[in-house]
Amino acid sequence: MQLVWTLSGRGWADCTISDHQAEAEVTASYISTAPEDLLTAVARLVTGEAEARVQFEAEPTAFRWILYREGSDVWIRVLELADGSKHDNAGTEIWSSQQSIGTVARAVVRCFDDVARKYGESGYRGKWGEHFPRSELEALRAAWHKSHRLEST
């Protein structure tokens, strides 16, 4: 699994999510806390929560990520909705995958490490309009490393 976050303009990002089977591109606007929410959702799954949801606002379109964890597996569904206030059933699934929790955590951590390297934290703020999600990234990294240590003992 791979995740790529590209700042495409002031307050806009394109996020490409892919695995060996398929790829989808979603858009996020700074009007939502998309990067923070995604990092936090994956951290919650790593620490044992069974479900997490994230919504990227693309004005007026929305992209809803639904993540379910069972054991060490995570099922990810990404829906595109014409109106973000609508129920999941109103959305169209544009990508889905089953991955291990470690694979998901690694992909998201690597994605935002790449973002920090590419733009720098001040460059990120200049393009996105908000601070780089450093605390959320480090919280996910810590949870992932802790869970990885627990699994290997």
Side-chain angles (χ1 to χ4, degrees):
M1 179 178 148
Q2 184 178 23
L3 194 69
V4 178
W5 184 270
T6 305
L7 297 175
S8 54
R10 175 102 175 121
W12 290 96
D14 295 321
C15 179
T16 304
I17 184 167
S18 60
D19 63 9
H20 295 298
Q21 323 258 305
E23 176 179 293
E25 186 170 297
V26 300
T27 302
S29 164
Y30 75 101
I31 65 164
S32 66
T33 51
E36 294 87 348
D37 293 349
L38 181 61
L39 289 158
T40 300
V42 174
R44 288 177 34 213
L45 292 173
V46 167
T47 59
E49 287 193 32
E51 180 181 342
R53 293 168 159 264
V54 178
Q55 186 155 302
F56 290 9
E57 297 295 337
E59 305 176 63
T61 304
F63 296 95
R64 187 171 298 152
W65 301 57
I66 305 167
L67 304 101
Y68 296 102
R69 179 175 178 175
E70 187 175 300
S72 62
D73 289 330
V74 177
W75 284 267
I76 304 167
R77 293 180 67 214
V78 179
L79 307 177
E80 181 174 355
L81 295 105
D83 178 343
S85 67
K86 298 290 186 191
H87 188 275
D88 294 348
N89 293 341
T92 302
E93 184 176 286
I94 60 168
W95 190 83
S96 66
S97 186
Q98 177 184 346
Q99 302 286 332
S100 74
I101 186 63
T103 298
V104 174
R106 184 179 319 108
V108 175
V109 166
R110 282 185 178 158
C111 171
F112 285 95
D113 281 347
D114 288 347
V115 168
R117 268 192 299 280
K118 181 175 182 178
Y119 300 102
E121 294 195 24
S122 63
Y124 177 91
R125 181 172 169 79
K127 280 191 82 98
W128 180 247
E130 298 294 336
H131 291 287
F132 181 79
R134 175 60 60 194
S135 61
E136 292 85 355
L137 174 58
E138 295 311 323
L140 171 55
R141 189 187 322 274
W144 175 41
H145 286 298
K146 181 178 179 184
S147 74
H148 189 69
R149 282 195 308 274
L150 292 174
E151 289 170 8
S152 58
T153 54

